[in-house]
Amino acid sequence: MTNSPLTVVVADANLLPHRTLLEDLAPAGTRFTWLERFDEGAIAAALPGAQVLVAPKFTPALTSSADALELVHVAGAGVDGIDVDALPSGVRVANTFHHEGSIAEHIVATTILLRRQILQQDRALREGRWATPVYEPERTQLSSLEGAAVGFVGFGHIGRRTWQAYRALGARGRVVSRSGRVPDEIRDELAGVAQLDGLDALLEESDIVILCLPLDESTHELIDAERLRRMRADALLVNVARGPVVAPSALHDALREKSIGGAVLDTWYAYPSEGSRARPAEQPFETLDNVVMTPHSSGITAQTFQGRARDIAENISRLADGSPLDRVVIGR
């Protein structure tokens, strides 16, 4: 049990808007140092004597300064920025979620945009053209989500929350995942559940395919040219997993050739190293009119980070009074 107030270094810009919330929920007397971004030099200068570092990364440059460190808390789910070998002995790493509701909302909203051609209709009407079958009878009537076949590739907390939203709108769902398991209370709601060997059938039968599984060697370019050819000509592909789960050239070709209906792409192949500018892929996805492109922002909402601030404050309190920590993913 820690007898003196804890010192906490926060180096995650996403938490700055919630500084008051985090400080108010932490134990009285907790000393906070807030940094505007992850900067190794600034963190190393602030870290001596601190028991908690809240940051997306831990690097070898920080090891020698972490003389009192007990907990690295990531304000998100991914801990791939933590160099485990650089952690001092006994330091634990915890994560937090709370993004599943925001991501589910993003997925449903963007798939509606594409299926209902809302962006195209908006652009046409700005030019005075009423792009609807009522005024252009050659057009096909568009489809709502009622009765749509939604296939989930991976079914963790994001997939489950997204399924709740689609189910409320009358869609049908099926799942493939590594485990091939879903919670008992959900199984009867779904048209099918299988392990990843059922992926090809899911691609062939789905109007919307949602990728929400981790990236590793087994899932790298899991969706390649052959699998894209299995999708329906009007089907949508949604990637909120990691960019390289899908082969980029094959995806660009499929979208350019209109062999699939469209894509919602929130995760990418390249990210800014400094500032806010970088091409997200070598392929010119920005030239395509059947893609919704977002900068890995589907989970970036105030509600997401308010929930994360609460979780971090709770773990700071647990560390202060010697209670077991929640969501520890590295160390014990």
Side-chain angles (χ1 to χ4, degrees), residues 115-182:
R115 281 173 65 84
R116 301 286 296 273
Q117 297 183 4
I118 291 172
L119 295 178
Q120 293 93 323
Q121 290 181 2
D122 173 86
R123 288 192 292 268
L125 194 56
R126 290 171 189 271
E127 297 174 354
R129 185 163 60 86
W130 294 58
T132 163
V134 174
Y135 297 97
E136 297 182 350
E138 69 276 11
R139 288 184 172 273
T140 301
Q141 292 181 348
L142 302 173
S143 294
S144 72
L145 289 175
E146 184 174 358
V150 181
F152 292 89
V153 185
F155 201 64
H157 59 289
I158 293 171
R160 293 194 295 271
R161 185 66 174 269
T162 305
W163 165 237
Q164 290 174 358
Y166 274 119
R167 181 172 180 263
L169 293 169
R172 298 176 290 114
R174 62 183 300 164
V175 171
V176 297
S177 67
R178 287 190 248 207
S179 69
R181 296 192 299 270
V182 298

Side-chain angles (χ1 to χ4, degrees), residues 7 9 33 35 39-50 61-62 64-67:
T7 296
V9 177
T33 297
L35 303 175
D39 179 282
E40 286 183 333
I43 296 171
L47 204 52
L62 303 178
S64 61
S65 301
D67 55 3

Side-chain angles (χ1 to χ4, degrees), residues 50-72:
Q51 291 84 15
V52 181
L53 171 63
V54 180
K57 296 185 283 187
F58 189 92
T59 63
L62 303 178
T63 305
S64 61
S65 301
D67 55 3
L69 194 63
E70 299 181 47
L71 172 65
V72 177

Side-chain angles (χ1 to χ4, degrees), residues 47-282:
L47 204 52
Q51 291 84 15
V52 181
L53 171 63
V54 180
K57 296 185 283 187
F58 189 92
T59 63
L62 303 178
T63 305
S64 61
S65 301
D67 55 3
L69 194 63
E70 299 181 47
L71 172 65
V72 177
H73 212 307
V74 177
V79 295
D80 48 311
I82 305 298
D83 186 329
V84 177
D85 294 333
L87 290 170
S89 177
V91 174
R92 290 165 286 179
V93 178
N95 67 355
T96 177
F97 296 92
H98 293 283
H99 54 269
E100 57 271 18
S102 295
I103 294 175
E105 181 180 276
H106 177 95
I107 292 170
V108 173
T110 51
T111 51
I112 290 172
L113 277 176
L114 285 172
R115 281 173 65 84
R116 301 286 296 273
Q117 297 183 4
I118 291 172
L119 295 178
Q120 293 93 323
Q121 290 181 2
D122 173 86
R123 288 192 292 268
L125 194 56
R126 290 171 189 271
E127 297 174 354
R129 185 163 60 86
W130 294 58
T132 163
V134 174
Y135 297 97
E136 297 182 350
E138 69 276 11
R139 288 184 172 273
T140 301
Q141 292 181 348
L142 302 173
S143 294
S144 72
L145 289 175
E146 184 174 358
V150 181
F152 292 89
V153 185
F155 201 64
H157 59 289
I158 293 171
R160 293 194 295 271
R161 185 66 174 269
T162 305
W163 165 237
Q164 290 174 358
Y166 274 119
R167 181 172 180 263
L169 293 169
R172 298 176 290 114
R174 62 183 300 164
V175 171
V176 297
S177 67
R178 287 190 248 207
S179 69
R181 296 192 299 270
V182 298
D184 291 341
E185 64 271 17
I186 294 176
R187 177 173 287 275
D188 289 345
E189 301 173 0
L190 297 165
V193 178
Q195 293 182 302
L196 284 179
D197 57 6
L199 176 58
D200 290 349
L202 179 143
L203 294 172
E204 292 166 359
E205 297 170 10
S206 297
D207 299 306
I208 302 169
V209 176
I210 301 171
L211 306 176
C212 46
L213 76 173
L215 173 66
D216 58 27
E217 290 183 3
S218 69
T219 61
H220 183 265
E221 298 195 357
L222 179 70
I223 307 299
D224 56 11
E226 180 180 352
R227 285 195 159 125
L228 287 166
R229 284 193 289 270
R230 292 183 177 274
M231 292 179 62
R232 295 176 175 177
D234 59 353
L236 304 181
L237 181 70
V238 179
N239 190 1
V240 292
R242 288 292 185 267
V245 170
V246 186
S249 294
L251 176 59
H252 181 268
D253 290 347
L255 291 165
R256 177 173 51 82
E257 296 165 6
K258 301 287 200 297
S259 62
I260 66 173
V264 172
L265 304 178
D266 186 53
T267 56
W268 292 97
Y269 305 93
Y271 287 75
S273 56
E274 291 185 12
S276 62
R277 300 191 66 83
R279 285 182 56 84
E282 293 181 4

